[in-house]
Amino acid sequence: MSHGHHHETSSGSARSPLAARVRAMEALLVEKGVVTEAEIQDNIRYMDSRSPANGARLVAHAWTDEGFKARLLSDGKAAAIEFGIDAVASPELVVVENTPEVHNLIVCTLCSCYPRNVLGRPPDWYKSFEYRSRAVREPRAVMREFGFEPPGETRVAVHDSTADVRYMVLPMRPPGTEGLDEEGLADLVTRDCLIGVNVPRTPALAG
Amino acid sequence: MTARFAPGDPVRVRPGAKPGHVRTPDYLKGKDGKIERVLGAFPNPEDLAYGLSGEPERVLYKVGFSQGELWPDYGGPAEDPLYADVYEHWLEPGGGK
């Protein structure tokens, strides 16, 4: 279950052969008493309750609390639990910090290991063969396609999470955000920033 | 579980293949890197995949490589680092440069 690959039912794929197979397996497991329909629904609800908003809140809190940031960088899982995120049963979480010197990018070339407790379900592109193969080989080109070009003097560090540890990027707080509270800061942090294919933007100054 | 390698140690990823489930990507096989961090010991996933206990546990390392070493045609600074998590039984002492 910890490494369960959830198969999204996006519109149009509900009648795909894969969806049919999943439904058939589900029906059998229920019929044989291995799981109940209620347990399946509870699990789906739990999976859906986890989203990149958790990661964004962690980042915003780290931006406003140096002590928490230090704890997040030294033991991501403990810091996430301290912050109230349900991560007790999750794999270790290593948080890597973007600085002017280093920009970090996360990929799992072997499958799609992903810090689900802080980022929810991975996007389809993260699991694609194309992203997995290109992110390690030409990370700068991949980021360019997401609309982000790291400065030439910045090292790009790729983290291939091949095993029992999950990774998340702590982006740099963008300039011009001094007036924002934690909630406003969290709004700037997208899922893509937490994977590292992009960075948070300074909010357009209204008026 | 004692770790055979310490941060800073040069290592080489063992070349070659092994039948069955493997958690070391092919593009790192035979490549020279450096131990960045000892991540702890975990049940061996290559056995867990077949319903075995995963015992004895294997020490997992975060190993750093340079992109210029991995890909001769890397389209960026050759010193750009790539880190991957590799289990001890896939590592041997590196020659040093």
Side-chain angles (χ1 to χ4, degrees):
Chain A
M1 182 57 74
S2 66
H3 199 67
H5 290 240
H6 185 80
H7 300 287
E8 283 97 318
T9 313
S10 53
S11 61
S13 69
R15 281 187 297 273
S16 71
L18 181 62
R21 193 160 69 188
V22 169
R23 277 198 304 274
M25 280 171 58
E26 181 182 325
L28 265 174
L29 289 168
V30 170
E31 189 186 312
K32 294 198 176 293
V34 178
V35 292
T36 66
E37 195 61 61
E39 283 168 343
I40 293 171
Q41 293 308 320
D42 283 351
N43 245 297
I44 292 172
R45 224 180 343 262
Y46 174 63
M47 282 193 269
D48 284 344
S49 73
R50 302 185 297 178
S51 81
N54 282 340
R57 286 168 51 233
L58 276 176
V59 166
H61 192 53
W63 282 346
T64 56
D65 181 336
E66 280 294 324
F68 180 74
K69 178 177 152 182
R71 294 196 293 284
L72 184 67
L73 292 173
S74 70
D75 186 340
K77 180 173 167 173
I81 293 169
E82 170 199 327
F83 193 63
I85 290 170
D86 176 15
V88 176
S90 301
E92 297 303 317
L93 176 67
V94 171
V95 178
V96 287
E97 182 185 18
N98 285 351
T99 66
E101 290 77 38
V102 181
H103 176 87
N104 296 284
L105 178 74
I106 313 294
V107 61
C108 174
T109 54
L110 295 183
C111 47
S112 58
C113 294
Y114 196 73
R116 287 164 189 253
N117 54 331
V118 286
L119 289 187
R121 298 198 315 236
D124 284 344
W125 59 257
Y126 187 83
K127 300 182 278 187
S128 70
F129 180 75
E130 189 186 6
Y131 178 73
R132 291 187 290 132
S133 48
R134 293 186 58 214
V136 289
R137 195 178 163 75
E138 42 176 13
R140 288 171 184 267
V142 169
M143 288 186 286
R144 211 172 293 129
E145 289 166 29
F146 277 87
F148 169 57
E149 177 113 43
E153 66 275 16
T154 300
R155 293 278 79 83
V156 168
V158 175
H159 302 263
D160 187 355
S161 71
T162 46
D164 282 278
V165 175
R166 301 293 174 267
Y167 289 88
M168 185 187 93
V169 173
L170 173 60
M172 284 191 287
R173 180 172 175 163
T177 56
E178 293 76 15
L180 291 180
D181 61 8
E182 250 182 79
E183 202 178 323
L185 289 170
D187 285 343
L188 305 179
V189 183
T190 64
R191 176 193 65 201
D192 292 358
C193 302
L194 300 165
I195 298 173
V197 290
N198 215 329
V199 293
R201 309 282 176 203
T202 305
L205 297 172
Chain B
M1 172 89 20
T2 28
R4 181 181 178 195
F5 303 108
D9 284 356
V11 288
R12 170 172 292 177
V13 181
R14 287 182 192 280
K18 161 185 169 296
H21 183 72
V22 165
R23 284 287 184 89
T24 298
D26 271 341
Y27 74 94
L28 297 176
K29 304 267 181 74
K31 301 292 183 182
D32 288 304
K34 205 170 74 172
I35 300 290
E36 176 75 12
R37 179 169 168 177
V38 183
L39 292 165
F42 296 88
N44 183 359
E46 297 177 356
D47 290 343
L48 284 181
Y50 299 100
L52 305 171
S53 71
E55 303 288 338
E57 293 193 336
R58 305 294 178 127
V59 177
L60 181 65
Y61 301 89
K62 186 175 175 88
V63 184
F65 303 86
S66 72
Q67 290 281 28
E69 293 268 327
L70 297 177
W71 319 107
D73 59 347
Y74 181 66
E79 321 83 79
D80 272 0
L82 180 139
Y83 301 97
D85 299 345
V86 183
Y87 289 94
E88 191 169 276
H89 60 283
W90 276 103
L91 296 174
E92 56 194 27
K97 303 262 158 108

